[in-house]
Amino acid sequence: MPQFRAPIRDFEFILNEVLNVQQYKEKGLKGFEDVDDNLISALLDQGAKLCEEVLFPLNQSGDEQGVSFDKGNVTLPDGFKEAYKTYIESGWTSFTCDPAYGGQGLPEVLNMPIIEMICSANLSFGMTPGLTHGAYNAIYMHGSDEIKQRYLPKMVDGTWSGVMCLTEPQCGTDLGLITTKATPNDDGSYNIDGSKIFISSGEQDATENIIHLVLAKLPDAPDGVKGISLFVVPKMWVNEDGSIGDANGVSCGSIEHKMGIHASPTCVMNYEGAKGYLVGQKHKGLRAMFTMMNEARLYVGIQGLGLAEIAYQNALEYAKERLQGRDLHGPKYPQKKADPLIVHPDIRRMLLIMKSFCEGARMLALQTALKLDVEKRSEDEQEIEQADHFVQLITPILKAYFTDMGHEVANLGMQIYGGHGYIREYGMEQYARDARIAQIYEGANGIQALDLVGRKLPKDTGKYLRSFFHPATEFVAEHRENSDMAEFTKGLHTALKNAQQASLWVAANGMGDPNEAAAASVDYLKLMAIAVMAYMWAQMALAAQKGIKENSSDSEFYEAKLDTARFFMKKVVPTQYGLLATIVEGAKPVMAARL
Amino acid sequence: MPQFRAPIRDFEFILNEVLNVQQYKEKGLKGFEDVDDNLISALLDQGAKLCEEVLFPLNQSGDEQGVSFDKGNVTLPDGFKEAYKTYIESGWTSFTCDPAYGGQGLPEVLNMPIIEMICSANLSFGMTPGLTHGAYNAIYMHGSDEIKQRYLPKMVDGTWSGVMCLTEPQCGTDLGLITTKATPNDDGSYNIDGSKIFISSGEQDATENIIHLVLAKLPDAPDGVKGISLFVVPKMWVNEDGSIGDANGVSCGSIEHKMGIHASPTCVMNYEGAKGYLVGQKHKGLRAMFTMMNEARLYVGIQGLGLAEIAYQNALEYAKERLQGRDLHGPKYPQKKADPLIVHPDIRRMLLIMKSFCEGARMLALQTALKLDVEKRSEDEQEIEQADHFVQLITPILKAYFTDMGHEVANLGMQIYGGHGYIREYGMEQYARDARIAQIYEGANGIQALDLVGRKLPKDTGKYLRSFFHPATEFVAEHRENSDMAEFTKGLHTALKNAQQASLWVAANGMGDPNEAAAASVDYLKLMAIAVMAYMWAQMALAAQKGIKENSSDSEFYEAKLDTARFFMKKVVPTQYGLLATIVEGAKPVMAARL
C-alpha cells in the first residue's frame, strides 16, 4: 500500500529560507499581514492533516470504484462527498478569495503547498475545488457586480462548485469552431443551446449547485475566436435573493470511461434553453476564459508535481526496503540475503531524477505563486509589471514541463517497483494513469510550446524572457566568486548559455518562417524549463549553504539539498545539448517529409 | 474506433529490397529452400488476414472484459479461445519449429513480421503462444530426448502451451533468492513445492495442458544463482504414451489486477508436490533459462514495436482527418472550417518520431532475426560467430530501446488525439497501458542496460561491439562518395562517432569502477540504440535510392522512405549529444548523493 507524507520541511525551507515570504509582511503586501513562521507552520500542518488523513485514504478506493452515472445523475465514489464536506468546512475553498465575498484573502504562495499536497493525495478529489477556483477567478475578474454578488459567496464557501465548459466534439484546441448558441432574452438573460464534452466535474453530487461557465456564440457573432462570448449558466437557477430555484435546462448526457482520474467525472453536458448571463463583454469571451485558463494552467502543472512527489516518496521507500541483488562494490549488508535496491546506480539515478524534479519544481511553483501575489496585490507599478512578465513566461513552461515530468516521474516510480509497479494493488500505476491527462487538458503541451515561442518569446523583443534571464544572470554574477557556490553558478551559467542560444535561434528563424519556431517549440520549451529549474536549484543551493552555517543541527537536510542540486547541474543540465542540437537542424526535415 | 492494417509493403521492402533474404536460398541455408517472393507474399498475406480479421477485433473487447478467475480456473475474454483455435489450426505455432517435432522449419526472419503484427493487433493474445515458443526453445535446447519426444509435438502444434516460472514474491531480478524446492524421487522425477508470482498465461482455458518450466532449488544446491535448476512440470501429468493423466499439484492461487494486458492472465502459481523432470543439468538451470530468455527478450522488444505501429497508424489517420486550427502559413483548406492537424509542425514532428522509430525498428528486428537464422542454421563457423556476436550485442539494446520507444510512441499517439486519446473508446490509451509492461518484464530495462555495459561491451575487448561497428563503419566508407547517399552517411558517421566515444568512456571508466559503467548504462544503451537505428536507416536509404531508379511506379514509397531517413538523421541522431554530455559527467553525482 502506498503512503503519503506531506513534504512540510521542504515547503518551509523554500518559504522561509529561500523566498523569505515573511519579508512581504514588512513590505506591507496585502494578505501578508499575518504571515509569519507560526501561520505558515499551522497552515501546512492543517493542510497535511487533511491530505494525509482524509483525502489520501480515498485515492485508491476512488480509482477502483470510479464515478457512476445513472439517468443524468453522477455519483462520486464512496467517501468523496463526506470528504468534500470536511474540506469546505475547514475553509480551504476560501483561502485566497476576496474577503468581500467571504474569502480569507491569504496569499497564493501559501495556498500553493496545499494545492500540491491535494494533488499528491487525491488528484481526482482536487478537480472540483480546483475548477471552482478557476470559475471564481473568471467571474471575479469579468463579471458584473450583480453576478458576483449572486454567485461568488457560495462558490467561495464551497457550497456551490464552478466548472469550465469549452470543448465540443468538433473543437478542442481550436475554440473558433464552437457551435453552442446563445440567444438573447428580453430580460437581459440568454438562452444557451448546445453540447459540450470533456467537462470535468460537469455533474457531481457533492455540491448544492454547479455554476457552468459556458463559451457560446451570439447570433451576431463574427466567425472564429473573435465571436465567442462567456456565460454563467447555473445548473439550478439562482433567484435574485440567492435562493435556489428550478432546474435550468442543464443536463449530463453521459460520462467518459478514461485511462485515469476515475474518481473525477468527465461529462458530456447538454444545454437546452438553459438560462444564463453574459460575463464580460460580448464576443470577448475568450479573454475572460483566459483569465481562468492561465491560473488553471499553473494548477494543472502542479498536478504533475503532486503526482511526481507521491511517486517519488513511495519509490524511495521501496528502494530502501526491497532487497535485490548486490552492491557492485561487494555486499553492503552481507548478513542479509541481498542488498536494498538503493545501492544500484541506475536505481539511484532514477530516484535523483525524480527528487531533483520534485524539489526544483516545488521551488518554481512557489516562486511563481509569489509573483502572482505581487502582481495582484502590490502597489508598485514596476514590481507588478516585472511579476506579470515572469508569470506570463513561466505559465506555459510550468504547465508543460511539470506535467511531462509528472508522467515521466510516475513512470520511473513504476519502473523502480518492477513488476509490482504494474499491479494495481501497489498504487504506482494509478499515478502514471492519473498523470497522463495533465499533459493533454488545459491546452495540450504542444499548445503550451506554441504559446511560448509564438507569444511569450517574441513579446516586445524579449521583455518576458528578460524577466527570467536578467535575475538569473545577475545571480551568477553575484555568486560566482563564492567558492561554495562555484559549482552551482557554473551549472546555471551553462544552462543559461544554452537557453540564450536556443532563444536567439528560435527568435531569428521564427521571424522568417513561423514553422521554424513551431517545429522547435517542444524541444525549446524543455530546454528553457531546464534553465529555469537550474536557477531554482542555484537559489536553493545558496540557501542550503547558509543553512549549514546557521543551523548545524539540520545539516543532513542541507547537505542532501546540495547533493540534489549537484545532480541537477551535472546530470540534467547536460541533456540540453541534445535539445539544442536538434533545434538547430531546423524545420525542413519535419515539414518536407511525406506522411 | 481504431483500425489496423498490416504494414505489408514495408515488410516486403525490408525482406526483398534491403535484406534480400532470397539470397539465402541460393546460399543453401536450411529452412530457406522455398523462400521466394511468392512464399513471402503468401505468408505475409495470411498473417495479415489473421491479425486484421481475427485478433484485432478482439483487442478492445478483451481489454474491457479482461480475464476472470474463479476457484483456480481462469477464463479468457469472449472469443479468445476460438481465436486461439483458428490460430493453431493455421499452423502459426509451428512456423520455425524443428520438423522432427512437427514444425515447419521456416526461418525466423519470416516469422518476425507475423509476431510484430500479432503484437499490433492483440498483445494479450500473443502472450500464450509467445511464451510457448520460449518454453519450446528451452526444452529443445536443453531437454533430454525423452522429454522432447513427450512434450514438444503438442507444444509445436499448439494443443499445449508452455510457460516460464521464475519470479517469486521475494525475487524478481535477483533469481539467486528463489526458495521453490525440488525434492528427488526414486523414479528420477522430482517433487516441486513453492509459489511463483507474475506468471503470464500460468493458467488459462485455451489449451489442453500447460507445461510449466519452473526454476527451483535442489536440496544440495549451492546458494545464489549457481544453485538453480530447471524443471518441466506439466499442469496435467503426461503419461509415457503422451496421453494426459491426472492433475499434477499445480494450481493458480489468484490473478493480478494490472494497468494493462487485461486479456492476459498474470497468475500466482502454487506447486504442491507437483511432479516434474529436470531439464538440462543440475544447478545449471539459469543457463537453460537464458536460452529461453534471450529470445524472449527479442520477442518483448517486438511488443514495443507492434504497439508503436498500431499507435502510429491510428494517430496518422486522426491527424489527417481531424480539423483543428490553421496552417501557420495561412489556411491550406480555406473552404473548410479548419485545416487537418497534420499541417501543424509539432504534430508532424511527433508523427515522424513515431514513423522513424517503427520503420527503423522493423528493419533492426528483421536484420536480427536473419542473424538468428544464420547462427542456428549456417554451417560456416565464422558466419555463425559473427551472427552470434551481433545477436548478443543487439538483444539488450533491442529489448530496452524498443519497449521504451513503444511506450513513448503510444503516448505520442495519445497526445495527437488530445482528450480523445485519454478516453477508452478511441483505443489509444490501451496501447500505452499495454506497452508499459514491456519495459518491466523479461528483465527490466535497467537490467538490459547493465547486461550491455557489464557483459556485452567488455566482452573480449569489444568483439561484440565490433559486430556492429565494423559493418556500419564500412557502410559509411563504401557509400560516402555517392552523392545520393552523402546526407545519410554523414548522419550515420556522426551517430557512430558519438557511440564510439561513449563506448570508450564507459569501457575505460567502468574498468576502474563498475558503478561508473552502471550509472551511465541507461543513457549509453539509448545512445547506442540510436547509432544502430541510424545504420538501419542508412541501409534502407540505399535500398530506397535503388528503388527509385528501378521501380519508378512506386517512387512515392521510396521518397517517403528517404524523407523519414532524413528526419532520423537530422532530428533523432542529435539527441545523442545530450546523452553523451550526461554520461561523461560520471557516477559521482549519482553515488554520492544522500537519498
Side-chain angles (χ1 to χ4, degrees):
Chain A
M1 290 297 119
Q3 299 295 322
F4 173 61
R5 230 172 327 159
I8 301 279
R9 177 67 183 93
D10 215 44
F11 285 127
E12 289 184 334
F13 169 67
I14 299 171
L15 293 170
N16 301 335
E17 301 174 56
V18 191
L19 295 175
N20 182 16
V21 296
Q22 293 84 345
Q23 68 181 298
Y24 292 88
K25 178 182 179 176
E26 288 145 36
K27 289 186 184 168
L29 198 66
K30 220 164 62 178
F32 284 76
E33 295 82 359
D34 302 321
V35 173
D36 59 16
D37 295 13
N38 290 338
L39 179 74
I40 291 173
S41 165
L43 286 171
L44 290 173
D45 283 349
Q46 285 168 40
K49 206 170 139 73
L50 172 87
C51 292
E52 290 171 357
E53 295 172 17
V54 179
L55 303 186
F56 185 66
L58 296 175
N59 191 44
Q60 260 187 305
S61 60
D63 178 63
E64 276 299 319
Q65 188 186 354
V67 286
S68 59
F69 176 80
D70 183 40
K71 298 185 193 112
N73 296 311
V74 171
T75 308
L76 297 178
D78 295 344
F80 274 62
K81 219 171 139 169
E82 296 73 17
Y84 184 78
K85 199 154 170 268
T86 306
Y87 179 77
I88 66 174
E89 282 172 2
S90 316
W92 295 109
T93 51
S94 64
F95 201 102
T96 60
C97 297
D98 188 340
Y101 303 100
Q104 300 179 65
L106 285 165
E108 299 285 346
V109 73
L110 299 189
N111 195 29
M112 193 54 98
I114 315 294
I115 294 177
E116 186 202 308
M117 289 190 274
I118 294 171
C119 292
S120 291
N122 195 324
L123 193 78
S124 285
F125 176 90
M127 297 286 286
T128 301
L131 287 157
T132 303
H133 194 69
Y136 162 89
N137 273 332
I139 296 176
Y140 182 72
M141 299 292 286
H142 302 281
S144 66
D145 276 350
E146 203 195 325
I147 287 176
K148 290 202 254 188
Q149 293 296 346
R150 206 186 285 188
Y151 294 103
L152 293 187
K154 297 231 166 173
M155 290 169 74
V156 168
D157 73 18
T159 319
W160 298 348
S161 66
V163 294
M164 301 164 56
C165 311
L166 292 72
T167 304
E168 298 180 8
Q170 76 290 356
C171 67
T173 296
D174 187 354
L175 291 169
L177 302 175
I178 72 169
T179 59
T180 296
K181 277 183 221 162
T183 318
N185 297 320
D186 293 343
D187 64 356
S189 71
Y190 295 82
N191 275 8
I192 309 295
D193 290 276
S195 280
K196 298 281 178 181
I197 62 166
F198 299 163
I199 308 307
S200 295
S201 301
E203 179 56 39
Q204 38 75 13
D205 60 344
T207 61
E208 287 175 15
N209 203 356
I210 302 173
I211 312 306
H212 295 241
L213 284 172
V214 183
L215 287 186
K217 296 199 129 188
L218 288 162
D220 62 343
D223 269 355
V225 292
K226 287 175 182 166
I228 302 172
S229 304
L230 183 65
F231 298 88
V232 57
V233 183
K235 172 186 166 188
M236 304 300 297
W237 189 249
V238 178
N239 298 315
E240 277 180 36
D241 64 357
S243 63
I244 287 190
D246 295 335
N248 184 32
V250 175
S251 64
C252 176
S254 61
I255 58 173
E256 306 290 352
H257 298 277
K258 310 184 298 291
M259 184 187 213
I261 52 167
H262 290 165
S264 165
T266 304
C267 305
V268 172
M269 295 303 307
N270 299 316
Y271 304 91
E272 294 164 286
K275 213 164 141 180
Y277 288 105
L278 186 69
V279 177
Q281 292 173 270
K282 272 186 183 186
H283 313 319
K284 305 264 185 203
L286 207 64
R287 222 184 113 237
M289 208 47 144
F290 260 103
T291 306
M292 182 154 147
M293 215 127 81
N294 274 329
E295 286 203 28
R297 286 176 173 183
L298 294 176
Y299 170 68
V300 169
I302 306 309
Q303 296 188 328
L305 167 56
L307 288 170
E309 170 65 26
I310 183 93
Y312 170 63
Q313 285 187 15
N314 284 283
L316 178 64
E317 278 310 299
Y318 190 79
K320 287 179 175 174
E321 282 168 16
R322 172 81 170 172
L323 305 180
Q324 207 76 185
R326 286 296 187 189
D327 192 316
L328 293 170
H329 285 178
K332 199 149 204 164
Y333 299 92
Q335 74 287 9
K336 292 189 179 169
K337 291 218 159 185
D339 288 333
L341 287 181
I342 203 163
V343 303
H344 301 300
D346 192 59
I347 297 284
R348 299 179 63 83
R349 186 190 65 89
M350 292 193 275
L351 287 168
L352 284 159
I353 290 174
M354 300 167 84
K355 185 176 201 274
S356 66
F357 167 70
C358 290
E359 297 177 10
R362 183 169 295 129
M363 169 70 195
L364 179 57
L366 293 174
Q367 188 147 53
T368 306
L370 187 58
K371 296 280 185 190
L372 271 181
D373 284 323
V374 168
E375 185 188 347
K376 288 179 182 177
R377 301 169 186 219
S378 169
E379 285 163 1
D380 176 338
E381 283 299 329
Q382 206 191 335
E383 198 180 45
I384 292 172
E385 198 181 63
Q386 277 303 309
D388 173 59
H389 295 174
F390 184 84
V391 173
Q392 294 275 0
L393 176 71
I394 295 299
T395 298
I397 294 175
L398 191 156
K399 195 277 177 182
Y401 185 68
F402 282 23
T403 58
D404 282 348
M405 286 302 296
H407 187 243
E408 182 174 326
V409 168
N411 275 291
L412 288 174
M414 282 180 74
Q415 197 68 20
I416 290 171
Y417 270 69
H420 297 92
Y422 198 66
I423 303 296
R424 307 196 95 175
E425 188 185 341
Y426 290 82
M428 299 302 282
E429 60 90 41
Q430 183 190 347
Y431 306 138
R433 285 186 289 107
D434 285 358
R436 187 63 187 87
I437 187 60
Q439 300 171 279
I440 295 172
Y441 61 20
E442 218 51 55
N445 286 355
I447 298 298
Q448 306 299 326
L450 278 184
D451 179 43
L452 180 64
V453 300
R455 297 198 195 96
K456 306 302 169 64
L457 176 141
K459 184 76 179 174
D460 296 348
T461 60
K463 83 174 177 190
Y464 288 169
L465 282 180
R466 285 192 293 277
S467 73
F468 160 66
F469 280 117
H470 274 187
T473 309
E474 273 167 31
F475 185 96
V476 173
E478 195 175 337
H479 300 287
R480 73 189 329 158
E481 307 296 335
N482 174 349
S483 61
D484 284 347
M485 282 299 290
E487 59 184 317
F488 306 108
T489 54
K490 192 177 158 217
L492 175 56
H493 175 71
T494 302
L496 293 173
K497 203 183 58 190
N498 290 334
Q500 273 153 340
Q501 207 177 324
S503 300
L504 279 173
W505 191 95
V506 172
N509 291 276
M511 220 178 303
D513 179 356
N515 282 342
E516 288 289 345
S521 61
V522 164
D523 289 329
Y524 173 68
L525 185 145
K526 189 164 184 193
L527 190 155
M528 276 293 292
I530 293 168
V532 173
M533 291 281 284
Y535 179 39
M536 299 301 121
W537 272 112
Q539 292 177 77
M540 290 197 287
L542 184 67
Q545 301 278 16
K546 189 158 170 266
I548 289 172
K549 287 177 192 118
E550 294 175 6
N551 185 4
S552 62
S553 67
D554 214 3
S555 65
E556 274 295 300
F557 175 86
Y558 298 116
E559 293 288 0
K561 198 59 85 181
L562 294 175
D563 289 342
T564 313
R566 265 174 213 120
F567 176 85
F568 193 88
M569 298 302 182
K570 295 278 190 191
K571 295 298 241 186
V572 180
V573 168
T575 63
Q576 283 185 324
Y577 289 109
L579 298 163
L580 187 57
T582 307
I583 289 169
V584 301
E585 290 293 340
K588 200 176 159 209
V590 174
M591 300 313 295
R594 289 157 190 81
L595 272 167
Chain B
M1 288 302 119
Q3 300 295 322
F4 173 60
R5 231 171 326 158
I8 301 279
R9 178 69 183 93
D10 216 44
F11 286 127
E12 290 184 331
F13 169 68
I14 299 170
L15 291 171
N16 301 335
E17 302 174 56
V18 191
L19 295 175
N20 182 17
V21 295
Q22 292 84 347
Q23 69 181 295
Y24 291 89
K25 179 183 178 176
E26 289 145 36
K27 288 186 187 172
L29 199 65
K30 219 163 65 179
F32 284 75
E33 294 82 359
D34 302 321
V35 173
D36 60 16
D37 294 14
N38 289 339
L39 178 75
I40 292 173
S41 166
L43 287 171
L44 290 174
D45 283 349
Q46 285 167 38
K49 204 169 140 73
L50 172 89
C51 292
E52 289 172 356
E53 295 173 19
V54 179
L55 303 186
F56 185 65
L58 297 175
N59 190 44
Q60 260 187 305
S61 60
D63 178 63
E64 277 300 319
Q65 189 187 353
V67 285
S68 60
F69 176 80
D70 184 39
K71 298 185 194 115
N73 297 312
V74 171
T75 308
L76 297 178
D78 296 345
F80 274 62
K81 220 171 139 170
E82 295 74 16
Y84 184 77
K85 202 157 165 266
T86 306
Y87 178 78
I88 65 173
E89 283 172 1
S90 318
W92 296 109
T93 49
S94 64
F95 201 101
T96 60
C97 297
D98 188 339
Y101 305 100
Q104 302 179 63
L106 285 164
E108 299 284 346
V109 73
L110 299 188
N111 194 31
M112 193 55 97
I114 316 293
I115 295 177
E116 187 203 309
M117 290 190 273
I118 295 171
C119 293
S120 291
N122 195 325
L123 193 78
S124 284
F125 176 89
M127 297 285 285
T128 301
L131 287 158
T132 302
H133 194 69
Y136 162 88
N137 274 332
I139 296 177
Y140 183 72
M141 300 291 286
H142 302 280
S144 65
D145 277 348
E146 201 196 325
I147 288 177
K148 288 201 257 187
Q149 292 295 348
R150 205 185 288 189
Y151 294 103
L152 293 186
K154 298 230 165 174
M155 292 170 73
V156 168
D157 73 18
T159 318
W160 300 348
S161 66
V163 295
M164 301 164 55
C165 311
L166 291 73
T167 305
E168 299 180 8
Q170 77 290 353
C171 69
T173 296
D174 188 353
L175 290 169
L177 302 174
I178 71 167
T179 59
T180 295
K181 275 184 224 163
T183 317
N185 297 319
D186 294 340
D187 63 358
S189 70
Y190 294 82
N191 273 8
I192 309 294
D193 291 276
S195 280
K196 297 282 175 178
I197 62 167
F198 299 165
I199 307 308
S200 295
S201 301
E203 178 57 39
Q204 39 76 13
D205 59 346
T207 60
E208 286 174 16
N209 202 357
I210 302 174
I211 311 307
H212 294 242
L213 284 173
V214 183
L215 287 185
K217 296 199 128 186
L218 288 163
D220 61 343
D223 269 356
V225 291
K226 288 176 182 165
I228 302 171
S229 305
L230 181 66
F231 298 87
V232 57
V233 184
K235 174 187 166 190
M236 306 299 296
W237 188 248
V238 178
N239 297 316
E240 276 180 38
D241 64 357
S243 62
I244 287 189
D246 296 334
N248 184 30
V250 175
S251 64
C252 176
S254 62
I255 58 173
E256 305 291 350
H257 299 278
K258 311 183 297 290
M259 183 187 215
I261 52 166
H262 290 165
S264 166
T266 304
C267 305
V268 172
M269 294 305 306
N270 299 316
Y271 304 91
E272 294 164 287
K275 212 164 140 182
Y277 287 105
L278 186 69
V279 176
Q281 293 174 269
K282 274 188 183 184
H283 314 321
K284 305 267 185 198
L286 208 65
R287 223 185 112 235
M289 208 49 146
F290 259 104
T291 304
M292 182 152 149
M293 214 126 83
N294 274 328
E295 285 202 29
R297 284 175 174 182
L298 293 176
Y299 171 68
V300 169
I302 305 309
Q303 296 188 329
L305 166 56
L307 289 169
E309 170 65 27
I310 184 93
Y312 170 63
Q313 285 188 13
N314 284 283
L316 178 64
E317 278 310 298
Y318 191 79
K320 286 180 174 174
E321 282 168 17
R322 173 81 171 172
L323 305 179
Q324 207 77 187
R326 286 296 187 188
D327 191 317
L328 292 171
H329 286 177
K332 198 151 205 163
Y333 300 91
Q335 73 287 10
K336 293 190 178 168
K337 292 218 159 184
D339 288 332
L341 287 181
I342 202 162
V343 304
H344 301 299
D346 192 59
I347 297 285
R348 300 179 63 82
R349 185 190 65 89
M350 290 193 277
L351 287 169
L352 283 160
I353 290 174
M354 300 166 85
K355 185 175 202 276
S356 66
F357 167 69
C358 290
E359 297 178 8
R362 183 168 296 129
M363 169 71 194
L364 180 57
L366 292 175
Q367 188 146 55
T368 306
L370 187 58
K371 297 277 187 191
L372 272 181
D373 285 322
V374 169
E375 186 189 346
K376 288 181 183 176
R377 301 170 187 218
S378 169
E379 285 163 2
D380 175 338
E381 283 300 327
Q382 207 191 336
E383 198 181 44
I384 293 173
E385 196 182 65
Q386 278 303 310
D388 173 59
H389 295 174
F390 184 84
V391 172
Q392 294 275 0
L393 176 70
I394 295 300
T395 299
I397 295 174
L398 191 155
K399 194 278 176 180
Y401 185 67
F402 281 22
T403 58
D404 282 349
M405 286 302 295
H407 187 243
E408 184 174 326
V409 167
N411 275 291
L412 289 173
M414 282 180 73
Q415 198 67 20
I416 289 171
Y417 270 70
H420 297 93
Y422 199 66
I423 302 298
R424 306 197 96 177
E425 191 184 339
Y426 289 82
M428 300 301 282
E429 59 90 40
Q430 183 191 345
Y431 306 139
R433 285 186 289 105
D434 285 357
R436 186 64 186 86
I437 186 59
Q439 300 171 279
I440 296 172
Y441 61 20
E442 218 50 58
N445 285 355
I447 297 299
Q448 305 300 326
L450 278 184
D451 179 42
L452 179 64
V453 301
R455 294 197 196 99
K456 306 302 168 65
L457 177 140
K459 184 75 178 176
D460 295 348
T461 59
K463 79 174 179 191
Y464 288 169
L465 283 180
R466 285 193 294 277
S467 72
F468 160 66
F469 279 118
H470 274 186
T473 309
E474 275 167 29
F475 186 96
V476 173
E478 194 175 338
H479 300 287
R480 72 189 329 158
E481 306 298 334
N482 173 349
S483 61
D484 284 347
M485 282 299 291
E487 59 183 319
F488 306 109
T489 53
K490 192 177 159 215
L492 175 56
H493 175 72
T494 303
L496 293 174
K497 203 183 60 191
N498 289 335
Q500 272 153 342
Q501 207 176 325
S503 300
L504 278 173
W505 192 97
V506 173
N509 290 276
M511 218 179 303
D513 179 355
N515 283 341
E516 288 290 345
S521 61
V522 165
D523 288 329
Y524 173 68
L525 185 146
K526 190 166 182 190
L527 190 155
M528 275 294 291
I530 293 168
V532 174
M533 291 282 284
Y535 179 38
M536 299 301 120
W537 272 112
Q539 291 177 78
M540 289 197 287
L542 184 67
Q545 301 278 17
K546 189 159 170 263
I548 289 173
K549 287 178 193 119
E550 295 176 5
N551 184 3
S552 62
S553 66
D554 213 4
S555 66
E556 274 296 297
F557 175 85
Y558 298 116
E559 292 289 0
K561 198 58 83 181
L562 293 175
D563 289 343
T564 313
R566 265 175 213 119
F567 177 85
F568 193 88
M569 298 303 182
K570 293 278 190 191
K571 296 299 240 187
V572 180
V573 168
T575 62
Q576 283 185 325
Y577 290 109
L579 298 164
L580 187 57
T582 307
I583 289 169
V584 300
E585 289 293 341
K588 201 177 160 207
V590 174
M591 299 314 295
R594 288 157 190 79
L595 272 167

